[in-house]
Amino acid sequence: MLIELRDKLIKIDFGNNEIKIRRYLGLGKEERYPIKILTGFQTSEVSGCTNLYLIKGKVRIAKSSSFYHSNFEEILQFSKNCLTDLGNVNTTITSEVKDALQKKQTN
């Protein structure tokens, strides 16, 4: 459960050419990413929902899901307008768990 809370993007704000992210039910430390340093985004379909991954370098820095976010279409549209579409990736529930367990290094 903690892994889910860590990796799932709980709150996202777009503006001023940056993306602000808070994890852990929105209580986590705010992370800011200038749009120009992001490589782009990827999408996937898992168990009937669409996931969107924000990518910096080769690392997934955040994950948004149509299952968790009521404004997912807005997040997806913003990503399409401002970031490079790196395509759809094939994922499974197993690969999602494996990815969540890996330590993220975004610097």
Side-chain angles (χ1 to χ4, degrees), residues 23-80:
R23 301 176 209 284
Y24 299 105
L25 301 174
L27 302 173
K29 179 183 172 193
E30 181 178 85
E31 301 170 34
R32 293 173 179 241
Y33 296 95
I35 291 171
K36 65 183 177 184
I37 70 163
L38 297 177
T39 306
F41 72 96
Q42 295 176 318
T43 55
S44 72
E45 295 286 327
V46 178
S47 300
C49 71
T50 302
N51 294 321
L52 179 135
Y53 309 97
L54 297 178
I55 311 293
K56 178 183 174 196
K58 295 182 181 181
V59 177
R60 293 178 180 174
I61 60 165
K63 174 182 175 182
S64 178
S65 171
S66 61
F67 183 76
Y68 293 102
H69 296 95
S70 60
N71 65 337
F72 179 79
E73 288 302 319
E74 180 184 344
I75 295 168
L76 181 60
Q77 191 58 48
F78 175 87
S79 299
K80 287 180 178 180

